[in-house]
Amino acid sequence: MTTTEHPNAGPDITGASIRLEQVRKQYKGQGEPAVADLDLDIAAGEIVAFVGPSGCGKTTTLKMINRLVEPTNGRIYIGDRDVTHENPDELRQSIGYVIQSGGLFPHWTVERNVGAIPRVLGWNKAKIAERTTDLLRLVGLDPDEFGKRLPKDMSGGQQQRVGVARALAADPPVLLMDEPFSAVDPITRVRLQDSLIDIQKKVGKTIVIVTHDFEEATKLGDRVVIFSRGGHIEQYGTPAEILANPANDFVREFIGSGATLAQLSLTRVKDVELEQVTTALVDEPSDRVIDRARAAKTSWVVVVDDKKQPRAWPSVDEIATAPTVSSYIDARLPLVAPSSTLQDALDVMLAASQGGALVTDRTGGLIGWLRISRVIDIIRTQLDEAQPDEVGYAEFAEAEADNGGPNTGELNPDGLGTGGPDTGGDRS
Ligand SMILES: Nc1ncnc2c1ncn2[C@@H]1O[C@H](COP(=O)(O)OP(=O)(O)O)[C@@H](O)[C@H]1O
Ligand SMILES: [Mg+2]
């Protein structure tokens, strides 16, 4: 039915391996070391996610890789280079670093922020300008629209995209990210995660990302490291391995009761057959759109622009209130990418109070939609496979009946029924 192949497979690898040997950090005045005798090998071109409870040493470990924190002991290699003896300033110019709030210089334009390290490295102006344009496009920002803006005139999600562009500016083999998406709203977070997967497919760097969210770790990580206190590795493996075979009680407890549902984060939107959508163009005569919708036996359409990017998701009744299709842009459309997990899709549907999500490709063009009942069917199958005796059809059938039964007939996109998208918030 579905596959669990990781979407990060197959980039041209430009990243370098990272190796930690007996690395230790003892902060002054602390009784126990923050990180004790850590050995870790990270393969070139992989995304490795660090997770674990607060204070277990994730940030300390990350910062020892670029020597924002000096190790008390041990060696760290990037590729063949022992970086523990390199000049820390030069080292940091060759390692991208992204933190929670983007960490942009607030009084600098986006262009100036992205070009910061190339300028230090003495690149000429033309090369910096070209690189900046390319990178803004790569992270999904229009260089003409955003190049001259200040960070304060952008959403948190957009600032975070600039942060990623800046970190990639000097083409570093390694990108370190410390909870980069934890300060944005759930819909923006899903988009930023999908963007990162997409970017990684193109650039093939080695990425180490710290997160406190196990689902985020399983979505982004080719491999996941689960840490306990003192930077102790409890398990290091692929998300599928960890979910199928938690190494010990600590891991089982950390993954928690959501372990079965976490399987949902292994199933991607691209693994599910999507349904076709009837589309309409701005200014198109409404009669024509309504005829088309009737022929397709649907009560709603998606308004798209000339690049097939969705603008709004009106019902046929709404279309009928005007002679031509309105140019209205709905900023809260539930959008997911093929690399989004089913868990993301559910989150996005619920956050937007919609009975489905629109699926767009990497250029933002509409490729279909996924209805909530399809996701529920898959959850039901996975639950039955995972624990046939604990949760069966009966319980789900009951839950479904309470919800008004998403499987009965066609589901209006407003099917969850709070009157459509309404909440404001951070946009990516
Ligand atoms: N600059 C510092 N000085 C002293 N102790 C620190 C410092 N930074 C972190 N610690 C301590 O080191 C341990 C690990 O912290 P940290 O690496 O930030 O964990 P995590 O990122 O997993 O939450 C914690 O006990 C924390 O209090
Ligand atoms: Mg931390």
Side-chain angles (χ1 to χ4, degrees):
M1 169 199 66
T2 58
T3 67
T4 53
E5 179 206 326
H6 200 278
N8 299 352
D12 288 335
I13 294 171
T14 63
S17 60
I18 305 171
R19 181 190 193 90
L20 280 68
E21 283 180 7
Q22 290 291 297
V23 169
R24 183 180 189 91
K25 179 63 191 180
Q26 172 77 59
Y27 288 108
K28 282 203 186 72
Q30 299 289 87
E32 308 212 323
V35 173
D37 311 323
L38 173 61
D39 290 307
L40 180 65
D41 268 310
I42 294 173
E46 285 203 341
I47 301 186
V48 170
F50 288 0
V51 276
S54 178
C56 68
K58 304 181 294 293
T59 295
T60 298
T61 302
L62 197 74
K63 284 182 169 175
M64 286 194 286
I65 297 173
N66 67 2
R67 303 231 338 256
L68 280 171
V69 166
E70 286 294 340
T72 313
N73 247 322
R75 287 188 187 285
I76 297 174
Y77 297 89
I78 292 184
D80 299 331
R81 290 156 50 199
D82 176 352
V83 299
T84 29
H85 296 294
E86 285 191 15
N87 174 312
D89 289 330
E90 280 169 24
L91 174 66
R92 283 196 284 279
Q93 287 158 14
S94 72
I95 298 179
Y97 184 51
V98 182
I99 56 174
Q100 192 182 85
S101 51
L104 303 177
F105 299 112
H107 304 300
W108 287 11
T109 62
V110 163
E111 281 173 2
R112 202 163 161 216
N113 266 290
V114 174
I117 290 178
R119 265 198 310 282
V120 171
L121 295 174
W123 294 17
N124 71 44
K125 274 194 175 149
K127 190 176 168 198
I128 295 174
E130 190 190 333
R131 180 75 181 149
T132 303
T133 305
D134 288 350
L135 282 168
L136 288 176
R137 289 218 180 90
L138 177 71
V139 300
L141 294 174
D142 179 354
D144 296 327
E145 190 181 345
F146 292 99
K148 302 276 185 246
R149 280 208 208 177
L150 290 173
K152 70 174 169 56
D153 299 323
M154 302 172 81
S155 72
Q158 287 163 343
Q159 291 182 35
Q160 213 50 10
R161 287 174 190 270
V162 177
V164 172
R166 187 181 59 175
L168 288 170
D171 207 23
V174 168
L175 196 60
L176 307 178
M177 310 180 88
D178 198 347
E179 308 213 15
F181 309 140
S182 58
V184 296
D185 70 85
I187 291 181
T188 302
R189 186 177 314 133
V190 168
R191 291 187 192 170
L192 291 172
Q193 291 167 343
D194 287 322
S195 262
L196 182 67
I197 291 172
D198 205 38
I199 289 167
Q200 168 63 358
K201 270 196 202 135
K202 290 178 195 150
V203 300
K205 302 297 177 193
T206 307
I207 299 179
V208 184
I209 181 166
V210 168
T211 169
H212 59 260
D213 176 3
F214 182 67
E215 265 81 48
E216 179 167 84
T218 57
K219 176 178 178 183
L220 295 176
D222 295 304
R223 272 167 234 283
V224 173
V225 185
I226 298 181
F227 284 106
S228 60
R229 244 189 118 63
H232 179 72
I233 295 178
E234 296 288 345
Q235 191 163 10
Y236 181 25
T238 65
E241 283 165 5
I242 293 175
L243 282 167
N245 273 314
N248 54 41
D249 286 344
F250 180 92
V251 174
R252 250 185 300 278
E253 195 158 315
F254 184 76
I255 295 172
S257 54
T260 310
L261 281 174
Q263 294 281 350
L264 267 188
S265 65
L266 298 180
T267 308
R268 310 272 165 168
V269 168
K270 70 178 166 63
D271 302 325
V272 182
E273 207 177 312
L274 301 178
E275 295 180 58
Q276 291 304 305
V277 177
T278 301
T279 57
L281 291 167
V282 175
D283 292 337
E284 207 184 340
S286 297
D287 293 351
R288 238 166 60 196
V289 175
I290 293 167
D291 287 348
R292 210 158 55 232
R294 287 221 178 95
K297 295 190 167 49
T298 176
S299 60
W300 50 268
V301 300
V302 174
V303 180
V304 295
D305 63 19
D306 51 5
K307 292 179 196 137
K308 283 208 85 183
Q309 295 180 353
R311 300 168 68 92
W313 192 355
S315 66
V316 169
D317 291 346
E318 282 169 273
I319 291 284
T321 61
T324 59
V325 174
S326 144
S327 61
Y328 171 71
I329 295 183
D330 180 349
R332 298 297 293 179
L333 283 179
L335 299 178
V336 293
S339 60
S340 297
T341 67
L342 288 193
Q343 174 134 3
D344 294 336
L346 261 188
D347 284 351
V348 161
M349 290 173 200
L350 295 173
S353 300
Q354 298 277 7
L358 300 175
V359 184
T360 55
D361 62 18
R362 62 175 55 183
T363 62
L366 182 67
I367 52 179
W369 83 292
L370 179 61
R371 69 174 79 212
I372 199 167
S373 56
R374 183 82 184 92
V375 177
I376 290 172
D377 282 346
I378 294 170
I379 299 173
R380 177 196 286 143
T381 309
Q382 292 187 343
L383 284 175
D384 282 354
E385 280 169 6
Q387 34 183 218
D389 301 331
E390 281 178 47
V391 183
Y393 283 103
E395 261 173 75
F396 254 82
E398 243 170 68
E400 237 172 73
D402 289 345
N403 282 331
N407 267 330
T408 54
E410 193 202 14
L411 189 67
N412 186 284
D414 291 329
L416 287 184
T418 63
D422 52 2
T423 46
D426 194 3
R427 310 287 307 156
S428 79

